[in-house]
Amino acid sequence: MFDNRDLSDVESNARLFGGNLVHAARCELPRRTAMIDAMDRKIRRMYAALDALSSTDLSSVTPHLTRADSHVYAHVDFNEKSEALQLENAAQMLTANIASIKDHLHAWCRKNSRPLTGDDIINSNASVAIIHDLWNVEKHAELSRPPRSGFTPSLRNLSTALQISAGEQAGGSAFFSMDPRTGKITSGATVGGNVSLTLTAQIVDEHGMFRADFLQTCEAAIEAWMNELKRVGVPLS
């Protein structure tokens, strides 16, 4: 990548050659800047798709209270107002944003004379391979080649669930409570804790056998791709 010092050196040397190197350097700078911007937008879209799977807005949660004699029974279905197609679209959007990082990585490597390592990551990381296969099944309806994960994955039991996490920071906490008499919901979190409605799904194979949790697989695949982008020298903000 050219920085200001690179361009100054090129300009100094180019005076001996009629300025042609300066023109080449100035043409190269916008192209490389555009590639970095495109990669940055791609990464931001991937994380936006991940964030879209969760919401801290619990206003859609509706407790159902039943009174019988002197007892009050409370029931909450966190998936009650979810729409199946919206859940599927959200899951597929994240899958596509993760899996297509490979093509953006290869474009960067070609422009910067680096080895193409995307297939190595897919072949060596189970989570990356599963997401890659899910994307290919969605794109092509069926796989024309053996799946990279060793099985043909699909999503099952997509739903919205309540997720309560104290986070990974010391002193983190989270809570969710409901008054069984009124149905009033109270929640809160501190120091990295989180209470949210989150999409959940299972990844199963062609025989319907459970293989992995969808969200955990996505997070692991994202981590693997981000580590590889850093390793090959992609400038990340």
Side-chain angles (χ1 to χ4, degrees):
M1 239 177 79
F2 286 109
D3 56 22
N4 291 334
R5 183 184 58 189
D6 296 325
L7 188 53
S8 297
D9 292 342
V10 170
E11 288 175 336
S12 298
N13 295 331
R15 292 190 185 97
L16 301 177
F17 301 97
N20 290 334
L21 288 178
V22 174
H23 175 72
R26 292 195 182 279
C27 289
E28 184 69 13
L29 279 171
R31 287 197 292 267
R32 296 201 175 189
T33 299
M35 176 169 286
I36 293 171
D37 289 344
M39 179 67 80
D40 182 69
R41 290 195 303 274
K42 174 60 183 172
I43 293 171
R44 290 177 185 275
R45 289 200 307 272
M46 177 177 67
Y47 279 108
L50 177 62
D51 290 342
L53 299 191
S54 299
S55 174
T56 57
D57 181 6
L58 305 183
S59 61
S60 63
V61 178
T62 304
H64 298 279
L65 305 180
T66 302
R67 291 176 171 81
D69 298 327
S70 59
H71 301 283
V72 178
Y73 302 91
H75 168 74
V76 179
D77 180 1
F78 297 106
N79 191 51
E80 182 179 17
K81 297 183 180 179
S82 298
E83 295 186 14
L85 289 179
Q86 291 183 352
L87 294 177
E88 290 179 21
N89 280 336
Q92 293 297 345
M93 180 68 72
L94 178 57
T95 299
N97 271 284
I98 297 172
S100 58
I101 282 285
K102 172 193 170 184
D103 296 323
H104 290 258
L105 169 63
H106 281 186
W108 166 265
C109 290
R110 291 188 188 97
K111 290 291 185 181
N112 291 274
S113 302
R114 303 291 177 86
L116 305 184
T117 59
D119 286 307
D120 294 336
I121 300 300
I122 295 172
N123 292 333
S124 63
N125 187 292
S127 294
V128 173
I130 290 171
I131 296 301
H132 185 79
D133 287 339
L134 279 172
W135 189 43
N136 275 333
V137 170
E138 173 67 12
K139 286 192 301 180
H140 306 298
E142 58 184 14
L143 299 178
S144 58
R145 299 177 181 178
R148 307 288 279 274
S149 60
F151 63 93
T152 303
S154 60
L155 298 181
R156 292 290 184 274
N157 300 327
L158 283 82
S159 65
T160 299
L162 181 70
Q163 182 180 68
I164 303 175
S165 172
E168 299 179 355
Q169 300 182 44
S173 65
F175 71 91
F176 173 91
S177 65
M178 183 189 69
D179 188 329
R181 297 167 299 178
T182 64
K184 180 181 179 181
I185 290 175
T186 305
S187 65
T190 62
V191 196
N194 178 67
V195 179
S196 62
L197 296 176
T198 301
L199 183 150
T200 65
Q202 296 179 336
I203 298 173
V204 301
D205 60 22
E206 58 269 36
H207 306 295
M209 296 287 292
F210 172 80
R211 289 302 190 104
D213 175 82
F214 175 65
L215 187 56
Q216 292 177 358
T217 301
C218 287
E219 292 173 339
I222 288 174
E223 182 179 7
W225 282 120
M226 292 301 293
N227 287 339
E228 184 61 14
L229 292 176
K230 294 175 184 177
R231 192 190 71 79
V232 301
V234 175
L236 303 174
S237 58

